[in-house]
Amino acid sequence: MKLFQLSALALATTFVMASCGSAPKSDKAETGEAQEVNEVAEAADVALDLEASQITWVGTKPVGKHNGTIKLSEGKLSLKDGAIVGGNFVIDLNTLTVLDIPAEDEANAKLTGHLKSGDFFEVEKFPTATFEVVSVEPYQAPEGDKKEEKDPEYTLANPTHTITGNLEMKGVKKSIKFPAKVTIDGNKVTAEAKFNINRKDWGMSYGDDESLGDKFIRPTVHIGFNIATK
């Protein structure tokens, strides 16, 4: 009986720990000053398939996490000699949705409204965010990279390229560098990326004080890019 009680306690402890909203263990994007974008002569522009492309996000706090999606309103990739040499897309922040709370639940509308408020994206003033490609290079794993310690749900298994680009949100433009999985077949391109950023780099510091306890919201946000051309 005592052994059963200990096993049950261990199982309960494991469940509680798994339920806590720790930030996803993923690749961390290298963030720096915005970089110059150079246009490549004779590159062919291919429009994005906006129905097949989207941004995913995950935010966490000590007592849980939330996740959702954001749609793109326009975008293109520039190709030359079978490689991506440029491109950009516009992220429509008015389409931000929360997926982990039922859409009809009042809490869904409350959280969505808060994320769109001045505490976070300030959508009324900054309705869009943008990403522009600076460079796309063959992937090389960083020295000392410990892939086995990362969460496979939030980490690419076999990245093919490293993408550097400028991400602008709330009027703040920063370069980010992250691994991606890119496939190119003629003018058909798909690109997937999963990485973490620090929202404070773009002026979003609401709730980042750990003394807030359960109301603390981690600065680390997990982002997913799912991009496809027509």
Side-chain angles (χ1 to χ4, degrees):
M1 178 65 71
K2 188 173 292 185
L3 178 62
F4 173 78
Q5 291 174 336
L6 289 173
S7 298
L9 177 61
L11 182 61
T13 301
T14 300
F15 175 77
V16 170
M17 291 179 65
S19 299
C20 291
S22 59
K25 295 180 179 179
S26 179
D27 291 301
K28 181 180 178 181
E30 295 181 23
T31 305
E33 296 303 311
Q35 299 185 25
E36 184 178 354
V37 177
N38 297 314
E39 292 189 12
V40 177
E42 300 181 0
D45 291 339
V46 183
L48 296 189
D49 183 342
L50 300 180
E51 293 299 318
S53 302
Q54 67 175 2
I55 307 298
T56 60
W57 59 268
V58 179
T60 63
K61 52 187 178 180
V63 293
K65 63 182 180 181
H66 295 292
N67 70 283
T69 61
I70 311 175
K71 294 181 180 180
L72 308 182
S73 59
E74 60 180 282
K76 65 180 181 180
L77 291 177
S78 300
L79 307 177
K80 184 175 182 179
D81 299 328
I84 299 174
V85 294
N88 55 70
F89 52 81
V90 178
I91 305 165
D92 184 359
L93 296 174
N94 278 299
T95 67
L96 184 150
T97 59
V98 175
L99 297 179
D100 61 285
I101 303 174
E104 66 278 7
D105 195 314
E106 183 179 346
N108 185 301
K110 183 177 180 181
L111 177 57
T112 301
H114 192 198
L115 291 173
K116 291 181 178 181
S117 76
D119 289 339
F120 291 97
F121 289 108
E122 199 172 358
V123 171
E124 185 174 346
K125 184 177 180 180
F126 303 100
T128 63
T130 60
F131 181 80
E132 54 185 359
V133 176
V134 173
S135 66
V136 180
E137 303 170 334
Y139 176 75
Q140 289 187 333
E143 186 176 348
D145 184 44
K146 297 181 179 180
K147 188 72 72 175
E148 69 278 1
E149 296 181 0
K150 298 172 184 176
D151 189 332
E153 180 182 357
Y154 300 108
T155 308
L156 292 177
N158 298 297
T160 60
H161 293 77
T162 297
I163 296 178
T164 300
N166 295 324
L167 175 62
E168 182 172 357
M169 297 189 290
K170 296 189 72 171
V172 178
K173 183 184 288 189
K174 297 281 187 178
S175 72
I176 55 174
K177 182 178 181 180
F178 53 87
K181 186 174 183 179
V182 179
T183 60
I184 302 176
D185 183 7
N187 285 340
K188 178 65 176 178
V189 181
T190 60
E192 179 185 12
K194 299 178 179 182
F195 55 89
N196 290 343
I197 62 172
N198 188 325
R199 59 185 170 90
K200 293 170 66 176
D201 289 333
W202 287 268
M204 288 179 272
S205 58
Y206 177 85
D208 70 334
D209 186 347
E210 293 189 44
S211 68
L212 293 170
D214 289 348
K215 294 184 178 181
F216 166 62
I217 303 172
R218 289 187 175 86
T220 298
V221 177
H222 183 73
I223 300 295
F225 283 176
N226 296 284
I227 306 298
T229 61
K230 291 182 177 179

